[in-house]
Amino acid sequence: DLVPRRDLELSAGPTAGTFIGAGSEGNPDLEPFESENFDLSLEYYINLGGVLSLGVFSKDIQNPVYGRTDEQFDVTFEGQRFSRLSLSRPENAESGTLRGFEVNYQQTFDFLPGALAGLGVSANYTRVDSEVEVFGRIDDIPFFRQSDELGNLQLFFENERIEARAAVTYAAPYLEALIRPDFDVYVDERIQVDLRASYRLTEAVSVSADIQNVNGSPLRYYVGQPSRRAAEERYGPSANVTLNVRF
């Protein structure tokens, strides 16, 4: 973010001799952000191999860093005429706050007979209320790249040789870049399914496999409100297999 360089991509504009430009640049004048945090958590251990926890938190942040996009029309920049020019760079906001709570529940079913004793479930939910103050903006702005709701549900199985997990993750929309009121860019809500399994061949050798985004969840961007779709990136599942050897 601090590097004083600029990357600019050009394409032909609507009239001869003009361009459409999009680029990004660093900001060597950035200040590091500072945060004062308060956290309180309570945990209750259930007799049948489970735990229930509740946490509350409050974060006051000075000089948070965010991505700002400046759009200009019919301008001359670096000796070229642009019908539209979009430049993004990191900037410091004045301050920001995050307040919220998180709930977590985990249960292993070790009271079940036989192989079923390796089954378990884990679930957590986080709720965040956030805001940030930005120079030149008087509207309500949520904290950058911070969803107001996050959730995760996992089903798992574990024994001496096998470990397997299936997880579903939910993230509510979050602010990606500031442009101007009602035209800020957001990343839309997303649900993703991931799988993981490992098998211990010997005390020193194990093999594992991960499959991420099994459901092919796309990454969607919108401007101002979800009905104004700006872009959509589609990804298929990604997988990897790992052999682990301990010496």
Side-chain angles (χ1 to χ4, degrees):
D1 287 345
L2 294 171
V3 177
R5 70 178 184 185
R6 178 184 297 123
D7 296 319
L8 186 62
E9 297 182 359
L10 307 179
S11 59
T15 59
T18 66
F19 296 91
I20 296 175
S24 61
E25 58 186 9
N27 182 0
D29 296 323
L30 277 181
E31 296 288 340
F33 72 80
E34 300 177 353
S35 180
E36 294 182 356
N37 304 334
F38 171 81
D39 298 272
L40 175 66
S41 63
L42 300 172
E43 295 182 349
Y44 176 72
Y45 292 88
I46 304 169
N47 291 334
L48 298 177
V51 61
L52 178 65
S53 64
L54 170 67
V56 294
F57 55 87
S58 174
K59 304 177 186 293
D60 293 305
I61 302 173
Q62 301 297 319
N63 301 320
V65 178
Y66 71 98
R68 177 184 177 184
T69 300
D70 183 24
E71 282 192 331
Q72 303 179 66
F73 299 89
D74 296 323
V75 297
T76 298
F77 183 75
E78 292 189 346
Q80 303 289 346
R81 187 66 183 175
F82 290 88
S83 59
R84 185 180 70 198
L85 176 62
S86 175
L87 281 177
S88 300
R89 65 178 297 182
E91 297 279 2
N92 283 118
E94 295 183 59
S95 61
T97 60
L98 295 93
R99 310 270 193 269
F101 69 89
E102 52 190 358
V103 180
N104 179 69
Y105 170 69
Q106 182 169 316
Q107 178 71 62
T108 55
F109 303 120
D110 52 6
F111 52 86
L112 294 177
L116 294 178
L119 289 172
V121 62
S122 174
N124 59 67
Y125 172 79
T126 303
R127 172 72 189 187
V128 183
D129 292 322
S130 68
E131 63 180 2
V132 66
E133 295 182 8
V134 177
F135 301 104
R137 294 282 294 262
I138 60 173
D139 52 323
D140 294 331
I141 304 174
F143 200 84
F144 317 112
R145 302 184 64 83
Q146 176 61 63
S147 298
D148 59 8
E149 287 186 295
L150 297 163
N152 183 57
L153 175 65
Q154 290 189 56
L155 300 177
F156 60 86
F157 176 83
E158 296 178 356
N159 62 21
E160 293 181 354
R161 287 187 175 272
I162 299 173
E163 177 184 339
R165 293 178 181 270
V168 180
T169 304
Y170 169 77
Y174 62 81
L175 176 63
E176 175 70 13
L178 286 180
I179 300 179
R180 60 184 185 273
D182 202 35
F183 283 88
D184 296 332
V185 178
Y186 288 80
V187 173
D188 206 351
E189 64 180 1
R190 196 172 188 218
I191 298 176
Q192 181 171 314
V193 179
D194 302 317
L195 302 176
R196 172 179 171 80
S198 65
Y199 182 75
R200 185 176 298 278
L201 300 172
T202 68
E203 288 296 322
V205 180
S206 64
V207 62
S208 63
D210 294 271
I211 305 178
Q212 297 183 336
N213 198 24
V214 175
N215 58 327
S217 177
L219 186 63
R220 297 188 176 100
Y221 298 84
Y222 64 85
V223 178
Q225 49 188 289
S227 61
R228 301 208 307 244
R229 184 70 51 80
E232 179 171 318
E233 301 174 7
R234 292 188 172 271
Y235 303 93
S238 61
N240 66 78
V241 177
T242 305
L243 179 66
N244 301 288
V245 180
R246 293 188 301 167
F247 297 96

